[in-house]
Each structure stands twice: as structure tokens, then as C-alpha cells.
Amino acid sequence: MAAAAVLAAAAWLIAFVTWSSEPAGYDFVALYSAARLVATGAASSVTDAGALLAMEHATLPERTILLNDPNPPALALLMAPLGALPLVPAYAIWAALGAAALATAAYLLGRLAEPGQRVRLFPFAMLAPPSLIALAEGQTTPFVLLAVAASLRAPPFWSGALLGLAAFRPQLLPLFALVALTERRRALGLVAMTALVALVSLATVGVDGMARYPDLLTRVATELRPGELGLAALVRRVVGGDDIVMNAALAVVLYAIGTVAVLFRSRMFTTRTVDASTWSILAAPHALLHDGVMAYPAVAQAATTTRATVLWVGTGIAVALIQQAGVPLAPLWLLAMWWWARR
């Protein structure tokens, strides 16, 4: 426990120092600005791109271009207490919560690995590039990973409800929803959770605010950043084009391929959830390096021997660094992980 606490503290410190060097360049300012709109009584403006940019600029004057926040408005309500604080302590608290979520998820996912490999996987889970980037960005992916990890041992209804929390990273939700919907009690949990997120979002921003929300999702679906991990970004880099219809068609095709990959290889809930974690990245129209933490269930499942652990952890770190440098190897590594690393 002491070693785990030290690693979590180290991850938090690295993230805090990294973020502090240029806070306007990291995603937390968008999440914080949405939360601050709620905290200051302007909740209906959370999905208004102009209001969000104005709050981002007011928070950090150097932020002059919109940093989009496609998370459901329910997240802004949950983060409203942080929005009432100054930016630095708000980020420090959020990053600490993210580090704790990563540590807990790593512990839970350790059950997928051989017992002797768990001690080797924990430092990777805390200090690998996707983990540190997720914490520095202030993103929601550590919390989504924790929900997925917890779903593996929860009773069916709560397992489905936990998978429904992937709604806080909307592009990752479809394949987790697919896994839950194949079993009645998990389906009930998933529907209940996603409905709750939708209702809380509606109560936060109102009908007009929810009508604007699809625009934020469309914006993020058409982004093409250097660190994109998904197959959609790889295809778009090869064939080019930013046409919305083409992007939508590509997303449908990739989610369909992901459906086949997840459902037809195994009937076991655990295996399907692990496969969905990998394919949620591959099929997503927009997935950045911090979304790479969603590959951790597959890494844990592949940790059957010391050699296998070193192979997948070592290549994973190398590929993450190469991907960050602009060479799109991550989609190919994720496919290899899914194909070869089954237990």
C-alpha cells in the first residue's frame, strides 16, 4: 500500500508540474470553465461554444481559441464545487482524484493478470505516458477506466451501470453499451445510468442547452490531432477529407467492425469488456493519447508471464512515445494487442 501511495503521489506531482508549465495548453481549462459557468449561475451556457470560450479566456487570458468540452453537461454539475475554486487548487484536487482513480483501477485490473505479474504492472499503470498525459490534461479517462475495471466484479445491474459511466467520455460509450445490452440485468443498469446522465444534463442546461450539445460532439468528431489513436484518424490521414458525412459513415463502419470483434470472439463478459476497452479506442472518431489508458485491461490480461509483461509494457511505452512524436503506430499496436495477447 505504501508503494502504491508513493507511485500515485509521483504521478500527481509529475502531472501538476507538467500542467503548471502551460495550463492554457491542457484540457482541464475547458472542463473547469464549464464547471465555473455552473458555479457562477450560468449553467445553461455550458453547451454554448461562445460562452465556454469567454470563460476559458477569463480564466486564462492566453486562451483565445475554443478548447471544446464534449462531455455531457452532467459533468459540469459534478465539477461545480471545483469551479467555485481558483484554477490552481481546482486542478490540484482534480488531478489527485484522477491519480486515485488510476491506482484503484490498476488494483482491480491486476486480477486479470497472473499474480506474479501484478507488481510489475502497477508502476506501468501509474507512470506510463497515457496515464501521465491523462492526469496532466485533467481528463475524465482515469475515471472511465475505473468504472470499467469495477464493472468486471460488480453484480450484473451495477456492472451495467458502471459501464454506462463511459458516457462521460461519449465516443467510448457505444461498444461498452453493446457489451452490457447482451444481458438483461446489465442492460437495465446501463439504461438506468445513461438515462440518469441525460436527465441530470437536461436539468443542468435546459432544453435549449441540450439542443446545442450535438454541435459540441460534431466539433470533436471532426478534429484530427497528431496524437489521435483511432483507425478513423489513420484512414483520414491516408485519404484526407473533413466531410461530416464521410466521417459519420466511417464511424458507423468502424463501430460495426468493433461490434463483430467484441461479440463474436467470446461469450464471456470479462473478455468482451476487455475487447470493448481496446476497440472503444480503435473505433472512436476522436481518441487521443490519454484515451490509451483504456488499453490497460488488455495489457493486464496479456500479462501471463514475465516475458509477455515486458513485451507488451515495453512496446506500449515505446509506441506511445512514437505516437506522441507524430508517427501513427498506436492503432497498429492496439490491433496487435487485441489479436495476439489473449489469454
Side-chain angles (χ1 to χ4, degrees):
M1 291 297 294
V6 169
L7 286 170
W12 175 87
L13 180 60
I14 293 170
F16 185 83
V17 171
T18 302
W19 174 84
S20 298
S21 66
E22 191 183 358
Y26 293 95
D27 291 344
F28 182 72
V29 66
L31 277 66
Y32 173 82
S33 296
R36 192 156 182 80
L37 285 170
V38 176
T40 55
S44 62
S45 299
V46 164
T47 56
D48 184 328
L52 187 61
L53 174 58
M55 182 59 76
E56 291 174 1
H57 181 66
T59 302
L60 293 168
E62 57 269 40
R63 188 77 229 176
T64 56
I65 300 174
L66 174 67
L67 189 56
N68 192 22
D69 178 17
N71 294 291
L75 179 65
L77 180 64
L78 291 173
M79 293 182 65
L82 295 181
L85 298 176
L87 178 65
V88 175
Y91 171 78
I93 294 170
W94 186 248
L97 292 173
L102 274 176
T104 307
Y107 170 77
L108 295 174
L109 291 174
R111 298 169 182 173
L112 295 174
E114 289 296 325
Q117 304 307 315
R118 294 170 188 172
V119 69
R120 297 180 176 89
L121 288 173
F122 193 87
F124 163 77
M126 298 308 302
L127 300 175
S131 299
L132 297 178
I133 291 172
L135 294 177
E137 292 283 3
Q139 265 294 348
T140 57
T141 37
F143 304 100
V144 175
L145 179 65
L146 174 57
V148 171
S151 76
L152 298 176
R153 294 291 180 126
F157 177 87
W158 294 108
S159 176
L162 287 164
L163 290 179
L165 289 173
F168 286 106
R169 188 70 178 157
Q171 61 268 47
L172 303 182
L173 177 62
L175 292 176
F176 290 118
L178 181 73
V179 171
L181 291 173
T182 57
E183 198 274 316
R184 185 177 64 86
R185 286 176 295 175
R186 286 193 175 93
L188 289 173
L190 177 108
V191 170
M193 180 57 71
T194 52
L196 178 62
V197 172
L199 289 173
V200 172
S201 295
L202 177 61
T204 301
V205 299
V207 175
D208 290 342
M210 287 304 293
R212 291 191 297 265
Y213 182 55
D215 175 62
L216 300 183
L217 292 178
T218 301
R219 288 169 182 259
V220 76
T222 57
E223 290 182 0
L224 185 59
R225 298 186 188 179
E228 294 275 0
L229 302 184
L231 291 173
L234 191 61
V235 171
R236 288 165 61 197
R237 283 192 176 93
V238 174
V239 303
D242 290 321
D243 183 73
I244 293 177
V245 175
M246 184 198 78
N247 289 338
L250 182 59
V252 170
V253 169
L254 289 175
Y255 280 125
I257 294 172
T259 297
V260 173
V262 170
L263 291 187
F264 289 90
R265 190 158 76 160
S266 173
R267 292 182 178 274
M268 294 177 58
F269 170 73
T270 297
T271 303
R272 283 181 170 181
T273 303
V274 172
D275 285 350
S277 297
T278 303
W279 275 95
S280 67
I281 310 171
L282 286 167
H286 174 68
L288 294 174
L289 196 57
H290 61 82
D291 293 301
V293 301
M294 301 309 299
Y296 291 0
V299 175
Q301 185 173 256
T304 54
T305 64
T306 300
R307 181 179 180 181
T309 302
V310 171
L311 171 66
W312 290 111
V313 167
T315 57
I317 292 173
V319 165
L321 294 174
I322 294 170
Q323 180 80 16
Q324 190 71 353
V327 181
L329 287 182
L332 304 179
W333 183 86
L334 289 167
L335 283 172
M337 166 67 70
W338 172 75
W339 186 257
W340 278 299
R342 283 191 71 200
R343 294 194 63 164

